[in-house]
Structure formats: structure tokens, C-alpha cells
């Protein structure tokens, strides 16, 4: 009720964005705000909130991300949680369009959304806590433990994820403040992780990670059939009805042992990955987007791309791909001067087993394992998007 009442009252930018999204366009479409008397808004990037899928997945990745995981307080029941989802959906619908949230103490901070997207997902334990375990998708719903893992509870699991992405950190921090304010009486913050992606360069649109690699070259491209098949849960016997149009989100905090990595020379780094450090070309190729030739052999018979190279182990021939939308993190050096940086690995896939199959091959024998340590791991079931006046999670909870 609260949402419907206020959503109908929104004007200008939000209403036009909603109308655009309802026309069946992709949610990642950039919606130009209507000219307003506020010239500050006129040049801002605004991402649609309403649509068949939630934003922040197919959306062209923004420069900054803030991932918040919450746990449900014991006394909170289904009805209360439903009310919470209505409220935070309303916050998201407004803030993404440059409108203040209800009871926003600093409405001016909402004026520059900077491409803000807000994406919600539910952790497997939430279903049990709310008596909805039968609504979990079939197949694995937890990420199994791997020998390479050194998981810290501080970065693991969670009942609700709120993924905030924007090109401006202040927009993120403001959205975080509004979300936390609305949730904190009923949920506790389990973890908060921040990430960044560098801007595209003249060399490549693909961003570099903290190891210096071009990261994201071979990834299903939003807008293609391959992307849809990889990411969105379609109607199928093993997909609960509420989850159609949703996706499964994996978040892994992977520390990079940069001091170890520094001991390798360029050739060693390239053999570990299977791609050139400067151009990102697969070994044996010349340009970043050349197809890797996994059958190619050197004189003497050794494979050009080593058998334990990351891209060979991660490559899927069987169609069980994933869509990676990761960010870098840097938490500042330790007192002893050791870097505390790495990859805030985020992937979206229709079914968790697509991720698990790849992670199993990597855990078994990936040369990058000597330089990386997973320290956090979570999975969330991301409901489909909602139409104007609706709220995220409605298909499951209402
Ligand atoms: C490819 C880095 C962890 C799955 C790549 C590439 C880089 C990279 C640089 C090549 C460029 C590209 O196609 O994007 C890293 C780093 C990791 C990491 C630094 C950890 C710190 C993972 C994990 C998974 C994964 C945990 C999934 C379980 C993939 C896939 C590809 C890939 C599917 C594309 C393979 C292909 O060519 O088909 N990664 N990665 N990566 N990575 Fe990772």
C-alpha cells in the first residue's frame, strides 16, 4: 500500500522511466531523465528500476559497487519481511531515478543517482527461516566447500543481499544509508563489501583486475540469446514459478596474494592465465578477442595454453557458462605492509550448478590457485524484476 500510494505520486523522471521499462525494453536501458528545472539532473546516467528482470545484472557495469548482506532477526515473520521488501523496493525505485527515499534526511544527496542500480537476492537460509524451503530451486542451493577455500564467516552467507552499483561513491553511500535505516530494526548487517572497476582505456573496453590482467574478455554479452540462456531462469520443470525471470548470484571474496604474484615474470604470469598480459590475447593468438586454440601445440608437443592455465580450466564447451560481473577490492595494506586486495567475484547464472561445475575444475588444478585465496562465499536467489507499482520478491512472498 505504501509503495502503491507513493509510486503513483512520483513524477517526472521516475514516471517516465517506469513507462519506458513497462514498454518491454531491457532493464539496462539508459533512461534519459526528462528535462527538469534542476540542471544538475539533466546530464546524469539513470538506469530503469522496473522491468522483467532486476537491474544491476545486464546493466553495463558501473565504476563502483557496494554489496550488503543482511541476516533476518529471529522474530521477523513472513508478513514483516514482505513489508520490508515493499519498503526497500520503494527506496530503490526512487533513489535510482534521482528521487529522495521516503523520510530521506538528505534529499539533495539523491539528486545524482550516477547510474545507481539496486539488486536484491535471497540467501538459501532465508527460505527455511520463512517456511518457504519448498520454493527453493531444484539442484544444489549451497556452494560446496573446496580445498582451496579459507572462508571467513565475516564474508560468508547471508539471508538478503542488496547489491548497489553506481558511477559515484556518494550515490552508493547515500543508498546504503537509506537501505540500512529501513532494514536495521528487523535485519542485522552480516557483511559489507566494496569494489571498483577501472574505466575503459584506449587499449580495451575490458577492465583490468589488481593482478594486471584484462578480466571479462570471454563473457556472454548482454542482449544476446547466449546471455539470456546463461543468466535467466526460464520456465522449466526444475524452476519454481516465482523464480522465472530470476537468476542465481554467486559472490566470492577472493584475496590475491600479490607478493607471490610479483615473484612471477611476465611469461610465468601469462602461462598461469593462458593469455597475454598486455593485449589480453590468448597464448598463440594476437588480439584480445581471438578464440583460444586449446588444441595448439608447440614444437616438442607441449600445449601452447598449458593444461592448468586458468582459461583452459574455466572454459566450458558444454554450454554451462556463467556471466561474470566482478569488481576489484582493496582493503588497504596490513600493518606489516602486505597487500589486502583481490577480486570481489560476482557471477550470475540460471542455475547454481553452472557455477559449481566450473569452480570444481578450477579448485582441482588451476595455476591461479597459487596466487589467490577464496575468503568469502555466498549464494543468493535473485527474484525477477517488477512492474511499476510492484515490488521485488512479490512473486515469492505475496
Ligand atoms: C577467465 C581472472 C576466478 C571463471 C578469466 C580471465 C581472467 C580471469 C583474467 C581471462 C579473461 C576473461 O575471459 O575474462 C580471474 C581471477 C580470479 C578468477 C584473477 C580470482 C582471483 C574465477 C572463478 C571463476 C572464474 C572463481 C568461476 C568459478 C572464469 C571463466 C572465464 C575466466 C568462466 C572464461 C573462460 C573462457 O575463456 O571460456 N578469469 N578469475 N574465474 N574466468 Fe576467471
Amino acid at each position: 500500500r505504501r509503495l502503491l500510494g507513493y509510486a503513483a505520486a512520483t513524477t517526472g523522471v521516475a514516471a517516465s522511466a517506469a513507462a519506458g521499462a513497462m514498454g518491454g525494453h531491457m532493464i539496462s536501458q539508459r533512461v534519459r531523465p526528462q528535462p527538469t528545472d534542476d540542471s544538475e539532473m539533466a546530464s546524469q546516467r539513470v538506469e530503469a528500476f522496473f522491468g522483467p528482470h532486476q537491474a544491476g545484472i545486464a546493466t553495463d557495469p558501473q565504476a563502483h559497487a557496494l554489496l550488503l548482506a543482511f541476516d533476518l532477526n529471529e522474530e521477523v515473520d513472513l508478513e514483516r519481511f514482505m513489508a520490508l521488501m515493499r519498503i526497500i523496493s520503494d527506496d530503490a525505485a526512487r533513489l535510482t531515478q534521482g528521487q529522495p527515499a521516503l523520510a530521506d534526511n538528505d534529499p539533495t544527496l539523491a539528486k545524482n543517482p550516477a547510474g545507481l542500480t539496486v539488486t536484491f537476492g535471497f540467501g538459501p537460509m532465508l527460505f527455511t527461516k520463512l517456511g518457504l524451503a519448498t520454493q527453493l530451486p531444484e539442484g544444489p542451493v549451497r556452494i560446496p566447500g573446496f580445498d582451496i577455500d579459507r572462508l571467513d564467516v565475516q564474508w560468508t552467507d547471508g539471508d538478503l543481499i542488496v547489491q548497489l552499483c553506481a558511477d559515484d561513491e556518494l550515490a552508493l553511500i547515500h543508498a546504503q544509508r537509506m537501505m540500512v535505516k529501513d532494514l536495521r530494526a528487523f535485519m542485522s548487517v552480516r557483511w559489507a563489501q566494496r569494489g571498483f572497476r577501472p574505466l575503459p582505456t584506449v587499449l580495451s573496453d575490458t577492465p583490468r583486475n589488481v593482478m594486471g590482467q584484462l578480466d571479462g574478455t570471454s563473457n556472454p554479452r548482454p542482449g544476446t540469446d547466449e546471455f539470456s540462456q546463461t543468466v535467466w531462469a526460464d520456465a522449466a520443470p526444475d524452476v519454481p514459478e516465482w523464480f522465472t525471470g530470476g537468476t542465481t548470484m554467486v559472490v566470492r571474496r577472493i584475496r590475491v596474494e600479490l607478493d607471490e604474484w610479483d615473484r612471477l615474470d611476465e611469461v610465468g604470469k601469462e602461462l598461469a592465465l593462458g593469455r597475454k598480459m598486455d593485449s589480453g590475447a590468448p597464448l598463440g593468438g594476437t588480439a584480445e578477442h581471438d578464440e583460444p586454440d586449446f588444441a595448439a601445440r608447440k614444437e616438442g608437443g607441449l600445449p601452447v595454453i598449458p593444461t592448468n592455465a586458468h582459461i583452459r580450466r574455466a572454459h566450458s564447451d558444454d554450454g554451462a557458462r556463467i556471466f561474470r560481473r566482478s569488481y576489484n577490492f582493496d582493503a588497504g595494506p596490513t600493518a606489516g605492509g602486505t597487500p589486502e586486495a583481490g577480486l570481489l567475484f560476482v557471477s550470475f547464472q540460471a542455475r547454481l550448478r553452472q557455477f559449481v561445475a566450473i569452480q570444481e575444475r578450477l579448485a582441482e588444478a588451476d595455476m591461479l590457485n597459487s596466487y589467490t585465496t577464496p575468503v568469502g562465499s555466498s549464494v543468493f536467489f535473485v527474484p525477477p524484476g517488477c512492474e511499476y507499482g510492484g515490488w521485488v520478491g512479490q512473486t515469492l512472498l505475496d
Side-chain angles (χ1 to χ4, degrees):
R1 270 51 2 133
R2 176 181 188 253
L3 180 73
L4 282 172
Y6 283 94
T10 51
T11 51
V13 176
S16 70
M22 286 205 303
H25 299 294
M26 276 182 52
I27 195 152
S28 66
Q29 181 192 20
R30 291 185 185 183
V31 180
R32 282 262 152 228
Q34 298 293 317
T36 64
D37 51 359
D38 187 344
S39 57
E40 210 186 322
M41 265 301 285
S43 61
Q44 302 304 337
R45 173 180 175 186
V46 177
E47 294 287 341
F49 174 73
F50 297 107
H53 308 294
Q54 288 194 63
I57 301 163
T59 310
D60 210 4
Q62 300 91 328
H64 304 278
L66 184 42
L67 272 56
L68 300 166
F70 296 85
D71 279 342
L72 202 65
N73 292 354
E74 246 173 47
E75 71 283 359
V76 178
D77 61 7
L78 183 61
E79 207 169 321
R80 168 57 62 190
F81 186 68
M82 215 166 19
L84 280 177
M85 287 310 301
R86 281 171 189 264
I87 292 168
I88 56 176
S89 295
D90 180 41
D91 289 341
R94 290 161 185 277
L95 290 166
T96 54
Q97 307 306 305
Q99 307 277 332
L102 286 184
D104 199 324
N105 300 94
D106 279 310
T108 46
L109 287 180
K111 279 189 184 167
N112 174 14
L116 176 71
T117 53
V118 185
T119 318
F120 302 110
F122 304 143
M125 283 305 291
L126 181 81
F127 291 78
T128 314
K129 290 180 183 175
L130 295 178
L132 295 171
T134 55
Q135 294 300 318
L136 276 166
E138 277 182 35
V141 294
R142 305 297 292 262
I143 300 174
F146 296 96
D147 287 347
I148 52 168
D149 290 354
R150 298 289 175 273
L151 302 186
D152 187 333
V153 284
Q154 193 195 343
W155 306 120
T156 300
D157 294 339
D159 289 339
L160 170 73
I161 188 155
V162 180
Q163 176 193 254
L164 305 169
C165 300
D167 287 329
D168 178 83
E169 287 197 276
L170 193 57
L172 281 189
I173 301 302
H174 183 62
Q176 166 180 250
R177 206 169 124 213
M178 293 302 107
M179 294 286 155
V180 171
K181 249 172 118 174
D182 278 339
L183 287 171
R184 66 188 171 196
F186 310 100
M187 301 193 88
S188 51
V189 177
R190 187 177 177 96
W191 49 254
Q193 306 195 50
R194 284 170 76 165
F196 62 94
R197 291 168 70 103
L199 294 170
T201 64
V202 280
L203 198 64
S204 173
D205 281 349
T206 312
R208 287 192 189 269
N209 60 30
V210 295
M211 298 172 98
Q213 306 156 332
L214 287 178
D215 196 342
T217 305
S218 173
N219 216 8
R221 196 188 295 244
T224 61
D225 286 349
E226 187 192 18
F227 179 88
S228 300
Q229 283 153 17
T230 301
V231 173
W232 306 126
D234 274 340
D238 63 340
V239 175
E241 213 179 313
W242 72 267
F243 194 48
T244 311
T247 182
T248 311
M249 177 182 190
V250 166
V251 181
R252 305 259 291 171
R253 185 178 181 88
I254 307 177
R255 194 177 62 221
V256 172
E257 314 305 343
L258 281 170
D259 286 343
E260 292 297 316
W261 184 242
D262 287 347
R263 291 202 181 97
L264 282 182
D265 61 8
E266 181 135 319
V267 174
K269 290 179 176 177
E270 292 177 343
L271 290 172
L273 178 65
R275 287 183 177 272
K276 304 286 279 179
M277 289 300 289
D278 56 357
S279 62
L283 297 184
T286 50
E288 183 190 347
H289 291 283
D290 287 353
E291 272 301 311
D293 181 355
F294 292 115
R297 295 192 172 265
K298 301 187 224 179
E299 269 178 57
L302 281 178
V304 173
I305 300 174
T307 46
N308 293 351
H310 181 70
I311 64 160
R312 184 191 282 275
R313 301 297 302 181
H315 186 73
S316 300
D317 280 327
D318 55 5
R321 298 194 72 189
I322 58 176
F323 173 66
R324 290 169 291 136
R325 196 177 186 281
S326 306
Y327 282 81
N328 297 307
F329 75 83
D330 180 85
T334 62
T338 307
E340 185 62 41
L343 195 69
L344 194 48
F345 174 92
V346 175
S347 72
F348 294 98
Q349 47 277 306
R351 293 169 174 80
L352 181 59
R353 64 170 180 264
Q354 294 165 231
F355 166 83
V356 173
I358 298 173
Q359 182 61 82
E360 275 170 352
R361 293 198 301 270
L362 293 179
E364 204 178 273
D366 170 12
M367 270 195 263
L368 283 193
N369 290 344
S370 308
Y371 310 97
T372 60
T373 312
V375 294
S377 182
S378 332
V379 61
F380 301 95
F381 298 99
V382 174
C386 59
E387 295 303 344
Y388 187 56
W391 46 281
V392 174
Q394 200 168 4
T395 54
L396 173 69
L397 303 166
D398 204 1

